[in-house]
Amino acid sequence: MGLIEDELAEVKKLAEHVITGCRLVSCVKTMVRAEIKRTHFKAITVCMQFPEDYPKASLLIELKSKTLSEKLLNGLTNVCENEAKKFLGKPQVLKVLQFLRNFIDEHPLSCCYDEINTLKKSLNDGSDELKLKQKLSCLLIKIVKNKYFFKARLVVPDIYPNAAIDIQDIEANFPPAFIRHIVGQAKELARQCVEPPMRKPKPNEPPFKPQPSLEKPITFLVDCVKHLPGEKCQLCKEQCLPEDPELAEVDEDSPKHIERIYCGHLFHQECLLKYMKTPPFGNKKCSGCGIKIYHHKWSLSDKLAETRWAHEQARERELAEVEDFFK
């Protein structure tokens, strides 16, 4: 037997027993093809061919995956070829298979490679940060706008994208109500990516499939942090959040407390209540986007609000008549 034949025999004997999650598809002189799998979304198929002057020359390697990024695979192919060159003159197949298995284990964030690159582009401020912690399968993010900031740890589960990311260790200097809202909404966006809607599916609607849940909620967080410090009240048109975060109103009962309505636009609390309590009534809409206003601090129906306004107007007229009488 020749050197290649001996190596193929060793690969058949050891590969599936020594390398966790490895399955040999073909192991012949023309090509060695193997699948290396950690989870359904962390799986790579590797095709290796022997050049004429092997093992003096390194293996010819091609990587494929139905789930991992094409850009990631291209870069990883070059890394595998360099790894094979470390063993020139020696058997290389098992070394490459073991290297790929180690890569999958040591880089759990490889399953969201494209999403991470997109997020990096959205963090365009010099103070923004996005750090990858591969061993912990998480990302550390810091989003900055002027003197305001938001920091968090984004945990990517091993079965991603079948399970949603989690947002932990939150630190920010926005008012508490804002932090609760934007974090709650971000987590809800992540949940919607992996859980089917409660409504009954429509006829012929394709079955629900979990979607990646990193980019969508974090893009929402980035958008909030970048835009909230400059937002103006939709009624009085004054800037809502002060330039100095320490001066922001945190008393949620204060008239100057900033309220974020369903569509995302802002009102001072006194401005929101004033706008909702005055005519015209019926389907009150946000002047910024035209969407109907929803807010937990305003639960009156249009009819009841109009009735109360009419009573207030009648009382004011009565008081005015009494004042005129004593003048």
Side-chain angles (χ1 to χ4, degrees):
M1 296 179 67
L3 187 146
I4 293 179
E5 287 78 6
D6 290 342
E7 182 174 359
L8 291 174
E10 184 181 23
V11 171
K12 291 177 183 178
K13 180 181 178 180
L14 299 177
E16 295 185 350
H17 300 286
V18 174
I19 302 172
T20 306
C22 179
R23 183 176 74 87
L24 284 176
V25 179
S26 109
C27 189
V28 295
K29 194 171 182 179
T30 54
M31 177 182 289
V32 176
R33 182 185 178 98
E35 295 178 355
I36 301 176
K37 182 178 181 180
R38 178 183 173 95
T39 69
H40 177 71
F41 286 89
K42 296 175 184 176
I44 297 176
T45 298
V46 54
C47 301
M48 294 173 280
Q49 292 182 310
F50 301 99
E52 291 184 3
D53 51 350
Y54 180 84
K56 293 181 179 180
S58 61
L59 290 166
L60 303 176
I61 301 172
E62 180 183 12
L63 301 180
K64 301 178 181 179
S65 176
K66 294 181 179 180
T67 55
L68 297 181
S69 162
E70 190 68 29
K71 187 176 180 180
L72 172 65
L73 293 177
N74 290 338
L76 185 55
T77 299
N78 294 330
V79 175
C80 286
E81 290 174 347
N82 290 332
E83 183 68 16
K85 289 177 182 178
K86 296 178 182 179
F87 303 96
L88 293 179
K90 301 177 183 179
Q92 301 169 20
V93 174
L94 283 174
K95 298 294 185 182
V96 171
L97 292 176
Q98 186 62 62
F99 176 82
L100 283 171
R101 176 65 207 195
N102 290 340
F103 177 86
I104 291 176
D105 289 340
E106 295 172 2
H107 296 81
L109 299 178
S110 59
C111 58
C112 42
Y113 180 87
D114 286 339
E115 290 180 281
I116 291 172
N117 281 336
T118 300
L119 289 175
K120 286 180 178 179
K121 294 176 182 178
S122 68
L123 299 173
N124 50 22
D125 190 300
S127 301
D128 294 335
E129 296 178 4
L130 184 64
K131 297 180 180 179
L132 278 58
K133 300 293 182 180
Q134 292 285 0
K135 291 183 179 180
L136 300 175
S137 189
C138 70
L139 301 90
L140 303 181
I141 191 170
K142 179 181 179 182
I143 314 165
V144 179
K145 181 63 175 179
N146 301 333
K147 294 182 179 181
Y148 288 87
F149 72 88
F150 179 94
K151 298 195 308 187
R153 183 161 66 101
L154 316 174
V155 181
V156 179
D158 194 41
I159 59 172
Y160 184 87
N162 284 337
I165 66 162
D166 192 15
I167 305 173
Q168 302 177 358
D169 301 338
I170 298 156
E171 183 181 348
N173 60 356
F174 287 88
F178 278 68
I179 299 173
R180 290 198 307 271
H181 173 80
I182 63 178
V183 173
Q185 184 63 27
K187 289 184 176 182
E188 174 61 15
L189 289 171
R191 184 198 66 79
Q192 291 176 4
C193 290
V194 300
E195 296 182 14
M198 297 293 291
R199 62 171 176 78
K200 185 178 180 181
K202 298 178 181 179
N204 301 321
E205 184 178 2
F208 177 84
K209 291 184 179 180
Q211 301 295 321
S213 59
L214 177 63
E215 181 183 344
K216 190 173 183 179
I218 306 310
T219 297
F220 168 78
L221 285 176
V222 172
D223 183 67
C224 286
V225 174
K226 295 298 184 183
H227 289 93
L228 286 176
E231 286 287 314
K232 295 182 178 180
C233 174
Q234 292 301 307
L235 186 65
C236 69
K237 304 304 179 183
E238 293 183 3
Q239 184 165 316
C240 288
L241 293 174
E243 293 184 5
D244 185 351
E246 294 186 2
L247 300 178
E249 180 59 71
V250 296
D251 181 0
E252 296 182 28
D253 294 324
S254 169
K256 293 298 182 182
H257 187 263
I258 306 304
E259 303 293 346
R260 192 171 191 268
I261 58 177
Y262 179 80
C263 62
H265 287 107
L266 307 183
F267 282 83
H268 295 105
Q269 180 169 242
E270 61 181 355
C271 292
L272 174 64
L273 298 180
K274 178 181 178 181
Y275 179 57
M276 299 301 290
K277 288 180 178 179
T278 54
F281 296 99
N283 203 23
K284 275 286 180 74
K285 296 181 179 179
C286 172
S287 60
C289 61
I291 295 177
K292 185 176 180 180
I293 292 180
Y294 293 97
H295 193 273
H296 69 279
K297 289 186 177 180
W298 183 260
S299 57
L300 296 182
S301 66
D302 293 329
K303 184 176 181 180
L304 181 56
E306 185 174 7
T307 300
R308 288 188 176 181
W309 175 81
H311 287 166
E312 289 176 2
Q313 293 299 304
R315 186 167 63 251
E316 288 179 6
R317 286 194 298 269
E318 290 174 358
L319 292 173
E321 289 174 359
V322 171
E323 289 178 0
D324 290 340
F325 178 80
F326 286 104
K327 286 182 181 179

